[in-house]
Amino acid sequence: MRLRRIVLRRVEMPLRFRFRTSFGETTVKQFLLVEADGGDSSGWGECVADDAPLYSEETNASAAHALGEFLVPAVLGRTFEGPEEFARLVAPIRGNRMAKAALETALWDLAARENGVPLRDLLGGVRDRVPVGVSLGLQPSLDALRDLVAKHVEEGYRRIKLKIEPGRDVALVSAVRERFPSIDLTVDANAAYTRAETPALRALDPFRLDYLEQPLGHEDLWEHAALAREIATPICLDESIRSEADARVAARIGAARVVNIKVGRVGGLAEARRIHDTCAAAGIPVWCGGMLESGVGRAANIHLATLPNFAKPGDTSSASRYFEEDIVDPPLEAQNGEMPVPPGPGIGVTVVRERLDRYTVAQEEFSA
């Protein structure tokens, strides 16, 4: 596998609705898309950074800078035995995990396409379908929230996740649980709480949540371990797990009973697989989180979620929930709460360049 050319695009795709979390509202998905051209085939990767450094310290601007100035020059024109070599080549470049993941995923996709196999096969996946749930942003009213939950339960999704924040937590969960007493229900705080608000988090215990996702700050592994001893609801870590080393520490100190793996947050598919393996050895189930990805990032997530320890439904719901038009074919649509794994080579979907061009607002090309 030899990289002849890399194209970096800035893409803007309007969402079908306002997606609100404790970080704020999103109405347009703005992201970077990486195309790694090997000559006969291209591999694709999506950067999940935002324009503002809220979920992560990375932004689209910082990722574009890291890719153009450091990451692309480290790999362009090189011949690879496989995408696992990427980590060694960019090891001197600290951080910038989302930028690294975008380019590394493109290399995995390219390698799988050149070998004529689905990405799942290179990663060691074991399924041809993965269970999926939905992630629901903060809604304007309890009635609106209940109606939205009802819609997705009827569609067959395997798990409903509610975004919460201080002051908007127990009432939301109570309203949903009262109407839907038996659904698989979780909540995500996006690091919005502190230990001082433990009573509010403990008040969620009676609602039989499968887990409480990332209640405290992203650097508070020790605090999560202490909180886990004070509440009954299992804690799931998201922002706190940025590497296999983080996962190993979290398991050792009891900071998490579930882990959300996001490819961009951890720096790529190879690191995601290492975290999966470490959690499996510790008896901690994992699931694949989402970042409002287009079909490129969504397809890669689906392939990752075929690994055996992805034991809980992920966030990779139907693309049509988010976008009127995606940039890939075939459409990535859930069926009865499961997402079929795209069966073709690589990530299994084709980027429709005519559509991509409509949503591309800037482009930069690098040639060997």
Side-chain angles (χ1 to χ4, degrees):
M1 180 173 66
R2 178 177 170 79
L3 290 178
R4 303 170 183 268
R5 185 176 65 108
I6 293 175
V7 181
L8 180 63
R9 294 174 176 85
R10 183 180 174 94
V11 184
E12 296 184 356
M13 293 172 60
L15 294 173
R16 297 184 65 178
F17 54 86
R18 293 178 181 271
F19 189 77
R20 185 181 171 195
T21 72
S22 59
F23 293 134
E25 282 191 349
T26 301
T27 57
V28 177
K29 176 61 178 175
Q30 301 173 319
F31 61 100
L32 303 176
L33 200 65
V34 175
E35 179 185 4
D37 181 0
D40 295 329
S41 302
S42 283
W44 297 85
E46 180 171 338
C47 182
V48 297
D50 292 318
D51 274 0
L54 301 176
Y55 174 86
S56 163
E57 63 272 23
E58 287 184 77
T59 66
N60 284 319
S62 71
H65 175 72
L67 283 160
E69 295 295 323
F70 304 106
L71 298 173
V72 169
V75 300
L76 191 61
R78 290 183 177 270
T79 300
F80 292 83
E81 290 296 323
E84 294 92 343
E85 294 181 43
F86 176 80
R88 175 181 57 80
L89 291 172
V90 301
I93 302 167
R94 295 191 181 187
N96 295 284
R97 291 179 174 88
M98 291 179 175
K100 288 178 178 178
L103 182 50
E104 191 239 32
T105 301
L107 298 183
W108 278 97
D109 183 32
L110 177 60
R113 290 179 190 271
E114 290 187 344
N115 283 280
V117 299
L119 175 59
R120 173 194 63 190
D121 292 2
L122 291 190
L123 293 174
V126 296
R127 307 183 184 98
D128 59 10
R129 307 175 73 84
V130 298
V132 292
V134 291
S135 176
L136 306 183
L138 291 162
Q139 300 299 309
S141 69
L142 293 180
D143 285 341
L145 176 61
R146 283 187 290 248
D147 289 346
L148 190 58
V149 171
K151 175 179 181 290
H152 293 309
V153 168
E154 186 175 341
E155 290 169 342
Y157 282 103
R158 303 295 180 86
R159 178 267 284 149
I160 303 294
K161 180 170 79 173
L162 310 178
K163 296 289 186 177
I164 61 171
E165 63 183 5
R168 301 185 69 185
D169 39 41
V170 174
L172 302 184
V173 176
S174 178
V176 172
R177 181 55 88 196
E178 181 180 2
R179 184 166 169 184
F180 305 96
S182 61
I183 62 170
D184 188 352
L185 186 63
T186 72
V187 296
D188 183 7
N190 287 117
Y193 292 77
T194 67
R195 284 293 306 287
E197 291 159 310
T198 296
L201 298 174
R202 189 183 297 118
L204 297 171
D205 285 345
F207 299 106
R208 307 183 318 280
L209 300 175
D210 191 32
Y211 52 79
L212 163 60
E213 185 176 351
Q214 195 66 42
L216 308 178
H218 72 281
E219 294 182 330
D220 290 341
L221 276 179
W222 187 257
E223 294 296 303
H224 276 105
L227 177 64
R229 295 190 291 271
E230 297 181 31
I231 65 174
T233 304
I235 289 176
C236 169
L237 290 182
D238 175 355
E239 290 97 316
S240 291
I241 306 299
R242 293 173 290 181
S243 66
E244 186 276 334
D246 287 340
R248 194 166 1 107
V249 171
R252 185 167 299 174
I253 67 175
R257 288 162 59 187
V258 183
V259 166
N260 167 356
I261 298 179
K262 291 177 179 172
V263 176
R265 191 191 70 234
V266 306
L269 288 163
E271 189 70 7
R273 188 168 60 179
R274 283 191 284 270
I275 293 170
H276 164 276
D277 294 348
T278 291
C279 289
I284 297 173
V286 303
W287 57 277
C288 187
M291 296 286 285
L292 304 179
E293 291 94 341
S294 77
V296 171
R298 196 171 299 268
N301 287 347
I302 294 168
H303 283 271
L304 175 66
T306 64
L307 272 66
N309 193 41
F310 280 88
K312 294 183 178 292
D315 280 342
T316 313
S317 53
S318 296
S320 60
R321 285 191 63 229
Y322 300 100
F323 307 110
E324 292 287 351
E325 177 184 60
D326 203 352
I327 57 174
V328 303
D329 276 336
L332 297 173
E333 298 295 308
Q335 302 169 2
N336 297 317
E338 293 184 322
M339 184 69 76
V341 179
I347 59 175
V349 294
T350 300
V351 173
V352 182
R353 292 183 183 272
E354 179 185 358
R355 293 181 212 159
L356 176 59
D357 288 344
R358 283 204 296 273
Y359 298 116
T360 297
V361 297
Q363 179 175 313
E364 190 172 7
E365 185 171 320
F366 307 87
S367 298

